[in-house]
Amino acid sequence: MNEANNTISRRGLVGIATAGLAASVASSPAASQARQSNPAPAPGRRRLGKLEVSAIGIGVQNNSRKYTTETPYRPEQVALLRAAFDGGVTFFDTAEAYGPHECERILGEAIQPFRDKVVITSKFGWNIDLETGVRGPGLNSRPEHIKLAVEGSLRRLRTDRIDLLYQHRVDPAVPIEDVAGAVQDLMKQGKVKHWGLSEMGLGTLRRAHAALPVTAVQNEYSMLWRGPESDVIPLCEELGIGFVPWSPLGVQFLTGWIDANTRFAPGDIRGAESRFSPENLPHNLQLVALLKQWAERKRAAPGQIALAWLLAQKPWIVPIPGTTVMAHMDQNAGAAAIRFTPDEVAELNLAVRAIDVRGQRLPDAVLVHSGREAPAKR
């Protein structure tokens, strides 16, 4: 999206992040007490469990290869990530699978001058060769593999610890208690500070949290995919776990870049998602029309409204939009400055939920790994 003069820049991030929060579902007494026992975050920050981060983070996934399959110019990506920090972003998310390996290298280079002032995440769990990065079939969360994968991530990230380590997808062959045990060993060594899960089954999240307290869950969540609202977000609220939406801009859809005539090049994963098929796309563009209406009303960009809407759902939600373009990064971070009144939140929620999005969010081959439950510990 082109950055308009009336949009809010990343410089508005500091000091304004939690205005206009939507009323939340009552959480369990234990979770409420845990959240209240943590000191209030600094202006422009939020808490994922005990971990304080900027209200909007940045996802470092496409910085080695765009959806459209081009390779971005690496020095520009390093400069973009450093500019994000200069603008107030302190939460940087990546994974060994992104690249694979290359996005960790880009992030490690970018944050080296200010490593101790930011929170970085990475993820393990896909079956990726530890040396070559070649991706094999299926998943691998065997404890010995986790520990070796983390060693590789630490080298590429040029750091001695990962602040938040996620299991990228649940391995159906490894009890989650064994995964938690491996992560706990890494914590004892100081190599990992917090841990989380992504796209897991609800039972697995409960078991994981009982074995080793979980700081955050990362799932797809946006106006385009609201699935977590029915079960994952309520469970996070019950357990006092933070929530990090990936793809908060709906793989660029919610920025207004995609229209009814858009078709995707070979290799672009969006071409395999039926929500963007020629049959479903015109219907789903109702969301973009809604965003454009609110963007005009709030003097912002459509993508900023989509991000601000996520922030307004819960005070412990921290979206991580990714981008390879400096102006878009500036715009994304600035979404934290957009204010909604409680009445506006209710009005926007009603309008969003009135639009029934058609089509699947991911191809079947990828979607099969979401919502899985780990096997029982024997």
Side-chain angles (χ1 to χ4, degrees):
M1 92 191 78
N2 294 325
E3 184 172 22
N5 291 332
N6 63 352
T7 60
I8 300 171
S9 77
R10 71 177 183 270
R11 294 167 185 85
L13 174 64
V14 177
I16 310 172
T18 57
L21 293 173
S24 59
V25 180
S27 59
S28 69
S32 296
Q33 185 176 3
R35 292 195 195 277
Q36 293 169 5
S37 66
N38 291 329
R45 306 291 186 91
R46 290 190 166 202
R47 286 199 181 279
L48 301 170
K50 295 181 179 180
L51 191 60
E52 185 174 297
V53 299
S54 53
I56 289 180
I58 186 166
V60 186
Q61 177 178 6
N62 293 337
N63 300 81
S64 69
R65 181 180 182 273
K66 298 182 181 181
Y67 291 124
T68 48
T69 74
E70 300 102 334
T71 300
Y73 184 47
R74 185 189 183 103
E76 288 182 354
Q77 302 312 298
V78 171
L80 180 149
L81 296 172
R82 289 179 177 174
F85 171 73
D86 291 340
V89 174
T90 65
F91 190 40
F92 295 80
D93 179 274
T94 192
E96 66 162 348
Y98 302 159
H101 291 176
E102 191 59 25
C103 286
E104 288 182 323
R105 295 188 182 102
I106 293 170
L107 179 57
E109 179 181 348
I111 66 167
Q112 195 169 24
F114 45 82
R115 168 63 188 98
D116 292 338
K117 297 179 180 179
V118 297
V119 170
I120 62 172
T121 85
S122 195
K123 310 176 192 73
F124 65 86
W126 293 105
N127 185 21
I128 296 171
D129 186 273
L130 297 169
E131 297 302 323
T132 66
V134 172
R135 190 157 169 175
L139 298 144
N140 188 346
S141 279
R142 297 192 305 272
E144 63 275 14
H145 183 84
I146 293 171
K147 294 175 182 180
L148 292 172
V150 167
E151 291 296 339
S153 292
L154 291 171
R155 287 195 302 273
R156 292 184 291 270
L157 290 164
R158 305 187 188 186
T159 186
D160 62 351
R161 81 276 184 197
I162 295 170
D163 299 299
L164 175 55
L165 179 70
Y166 294 99
Q167 183 186 41
H168 212 153
R169 292 293 187 274
V170 171
D171 188 334
V174 180
I176 197 64
E177 292 80 5
D178 291 350
V179 175
V183 174
Q184 189 168 42
D185 289 344
L186 291 164
M187 288 179 173
K188 290 176 181 176
Q189 297 169 23
K191 296 176 181 178
V192 172
K193 297 300 182 184
H194 301 264
W195 88 301
L197 286 82
S198 179
E199 298 281 338
M200 70 289 119
L202 300 182
T204 295
L205 179 57
R206 285 190 182 276
R207 289 165 52 199
H209 189 63
L212 182 66
V214 172
T215 291
V217 159
Q218 186 177 127
N219 275 43
E220 182 176 3
Y221 180 42
S222 71
M223 287 184 175
L224 187 61
W225 169 248
R226 305 192 314 274
E229 292 178 345
S230 64
D231 46 28
V232 177
I233 291 176
L235 182 56
C236 286
E237 185 147 41
E238 175 191 335
L239 299 177
I241 296 170
F243 188 87
V244 178
W246 64 264
S247 198
L249 293 174
V251 289
Q252 213 172 24
F253 179 76
L254 300 176
T255 68
W257 265 63
I258 295 171
D259 63 25
N261 298 314
T262 299
R263 300 296 181 267
F264 301 97
D268 188 328
I269 191 173
R270 294 172 297 183
E273 297 177 9
S274 60
R275 58 187 175 180
F276 300 132
S277 70
E279 297 76 24
N280 292 326
L281 187 54
H283 171 85
N284 294 340
L285 282 167
Q286 293 177 76
L287 271 177
V288 176
L290 176 66
L291 282 165
K292 289 180 176 178
Q293 293 170 11
W294 276 83
E296 183 175 353
R297 177 170 167 178
K298 304 299 286 186
R299 296 182 59 82
Q304 289 182 312
I305 298 298
L307 293 172
W309 175 81
L310 285 169
L311 292 175
Q313 302 308 304
K314 302 289 179 185
W316 34 268
I317 285 179
V318 180
I320 48 168
T323 185
T324 60
V325 178
M326 187 75 75
H328 299 170
M329 180 277 295
D330 188 76
Q331 198 171 78
N332 291 342
I338 295 173
R339 297 175 181 270
F340 290 125
T341 67
D343 286 346
E344 286 176 329
V345 172
E347 179 186 350
L348 184 53
N349 280 345
L350 189 64
V352 169
R353 288 159 189 163
I355 299 171
D356 182 25
V357 175
R358 296 176 182 172
Q360 285 192 170
R361 66 182 176 110
L362 291 168
D364 287 336
V366 181
L367 196 58
V368 71
H369 297 293
S370 292
R372 277 185 166 181
E373 300 289 356
K377 175 73 171 174
R378 295 180 183 273

